[in-house]
């Protein structure tokens, strides 16, 4: 998103030309990397599950030497036959398979996700409504980190206990770019039943987002603003252009179609 915005703001003069060329080159490389290695759907998960390890050449299928036994048990049940998402991280020998709301929503708004991947992300949200939406849309991350691990990963912030704050908490949000306003309407209708009554809290806790966050501030500006923007977008989708970037036709999608699309 930052690179695309920078590209639109730079002047096409002698000084800006060099920066533009560097940005375009970086965008191509970054788009390829994210769309190829961070994307996960049913077929890709099955492929990773069957990966061979210790492959060392440019022909290696398992380029990051991901060990299949490192796949967490929950992801097999979480992944629907139709749908997909960008995972949290890819590193040597293992992957962070968690769902992150912000990353996937920004991928859609910035057109990092191909049109097919964007639809697949919406398919996932719809298929896993109870897990990702529950009683307050939308889970910031799924699943929550439990035991002592959350203290290590989140800096021991006492708000980040399981299903709270940045560790699986629920933050009022909606996305309508994919042309499926019924999902957004359903999420907003759900949020409306609580936000005003609960005095517009900062976030919600619990596996279903049922409880007001333990340290959530009331009358939180971004909760109110997010709701108003979502309502405005639904009433007039042309406003979406203020926060969304259309697909760059020169940035040809390297994945023609989500492999879950025809399932």
């Amino acid at each position: 998103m930052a690179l695309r915005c920078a590209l639109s703001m730079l002047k096409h003069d002698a000084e800006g030309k060099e920066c533009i060329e560097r940005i375009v080159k970086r965008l191509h490389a970054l788009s390829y990397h994210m769309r190829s290695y961070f994307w996960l759907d049913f077929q890709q998960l099955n492929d990773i599950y069957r990966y061979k390890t210790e492959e060392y050449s440019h022909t290696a299928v398992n380029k990051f030497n991901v060990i299949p036994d490192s796949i967490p048990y929950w992801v097999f049940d979480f992944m629907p036959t139709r749908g997909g998402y960008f995972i949290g991280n890819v590193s040597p020998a293992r992957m962070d398979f968690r769902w992150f709301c912000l990353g996937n929503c920004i991928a859609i708004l910035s057109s990092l996700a191909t049109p097919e991947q964007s639809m697949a992300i919406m398919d996932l949200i719809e298929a896993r409504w109870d897990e990702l939406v529950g009683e307050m849309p939308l889970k910031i991350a799924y699943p929550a980190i439990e035991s002592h691990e959350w203290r290590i990963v989140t800096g021991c912030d006492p708000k980040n206990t399981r299903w709270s704050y940045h560790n699986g908490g629920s933050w009022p949000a909606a996305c309508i770019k994919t042309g499926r306003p019924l999902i957004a309407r359903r999420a907003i209708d759900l949020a409306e039943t609580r936000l005003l009554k609960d005095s517009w809290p900062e976030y919600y806790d619990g596996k279903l987002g049922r409880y007001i966050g333990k340290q959530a501030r009331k009358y939180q500006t971004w909760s109110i603003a997010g709701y108003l923007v979502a309502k405005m977008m639904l009433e007039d989708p042309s406003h979406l252009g203020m926060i969304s970037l259309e697909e760059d036709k020169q940035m040809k999608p390297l994945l023609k179609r989500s492999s879950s699309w025809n399932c």
Side-chain angles (χ1 to χ4, degrees):
M1 177 68 93
L3 289 171
R4 290 283 307 277
C5 290
L7 199 60
S8 67
M9 290 188 290
L10 283 167
K11 291 182 178 180
H12 290 259
D13 54 18
E15 186 178 359
K17 186 178 179 181
E18 183 180 357
C19 289
I20 290 172
E21 289 176 351
R22 288 184 179 183
I23 289 174
V24 169
K25 185 177 180 180
R26 181 62 177 165
L27 275 171
H28 277 280
L30 185 60
S31 296
Y32 175 83
H33 189 81
M34 294 296 295
R35 292 169 178 173
S36 300
Y37 303 125
F38 277 68
W39 179 252
L40 187 72
D41 56 20
F42 183 84
Q43 184 60 55
Q44 180 68 1
L45 178 60
N46 206 162
D47 291 344
I48 295 171
Y49 178 66
R50 291 170 49 81
Y51 269 170
K52 295 179 180 178
T53 57
E54 310 299 331
E55 294 182 313
Y56 301 104
S57 77
H58 66 278
T59 61
V61 176
N62 187 0
K63 296 185 182 301
F64 297 95
N65 198 34
V66 175
I67 300 171
D69 288 346
S70 70
I71 302 175
Y73 69 90
W74 62 265
V75 77
F76 293 104
D77 294 328
F78 179 70
M79 180 61 70
T81 304
R82 179 186 174 116
Y85 64 102
F86 289 100
I87 64 174
N89 196 20
V90 177
S91 59
R94 65 178 302 167
M95 307 167 83
D96 184 348
F97 288 92
R98 285 179 297 162
W99 149 272
F100 288 92
C101 172
L102 183 60
N104 280 274
C105 287
I106 293 295
I108 293 174
L109 291 175
S110 66
S111 289
L112 168 62
T114 66
E116 292 79 16
Q117 287 174 335
S118 296
M119 293 297 288
I121 292 170
M122 290 294 104
D123 287 339
L124 176 82
I125 293 174
E126 200 165 28
R128 295 294 175 257
W129 189 266
D130 289 343
E131 292 89 343
L132 299 179
V133 179
E135 296 186 19
M136 176 55 64
L138 189 64
K139 274 275 174 283
I140 192 170
Y142 183 91
I145 302 173
E146 305 196 33
S147 188
H148 294 292
E149 189 179 1
W150 71 266
R151 292 183 173 88
I152 300 170
V153 175
T154 70
C156 213
D157 187 329
K159 296 190 294 295
N160 283 324
T161 52
R162 62 193 296 267
W163 305 115
S164 177
Y165 201 52
H166 291 147
N167 185 15
S170 295
W171 302 68
C175 182
I176 64 169
K177 184 185 175 183
T178 53
R180 293 162 71 173
L182 291 180
I183 296 178
R185 169 55 63 191
R186 183 181 173 191
I188 291 172
D189 287 347
L190 190 61
E192 282 180 334
T193 63
R194 294 288 304 277
L195 288 174
L196 180 60
K197 182 178 68 175
D198 294 341
S199 302
W200 305 94
E202 179 184 7
Y203 64 95
Y204 285 78
D205 283 354
K207 197 168 185 178
L208 296 176
R210 179 177 295 174
Y211 303 97
I212 298 173
K214 66 177 75 174
Q215 294 188 37
R217 275 50 175 177
K218 296 292 187 71
Y219 300 103
Q220 188 70 33
T221 304
W222 64 56
S223 296
I224 300 170
Y227 168 75
L228 293 175
V229 168
K231 292 282 284 187
M232 180 182 71
M233 296 293 178
L234 277 177
E235 291 171 2
D236 186 354
S238 66
H239 291 311
L240 190 61
M242 292 189 290
I243 60 170
S244 174
L245 297 172
E246 292 303 314
E247 183 183 9
D248 186 349
K249 299 300 181 182
Q250 295 181 343
M251 197 73 62
K252 294 180 180 179
L254 289 140
L255 296 181
K256 294 181 178 180
R257 185 175 289 274
S258 163
S259 52
S260 68
W261 183 251
N262 291 320
C263 293

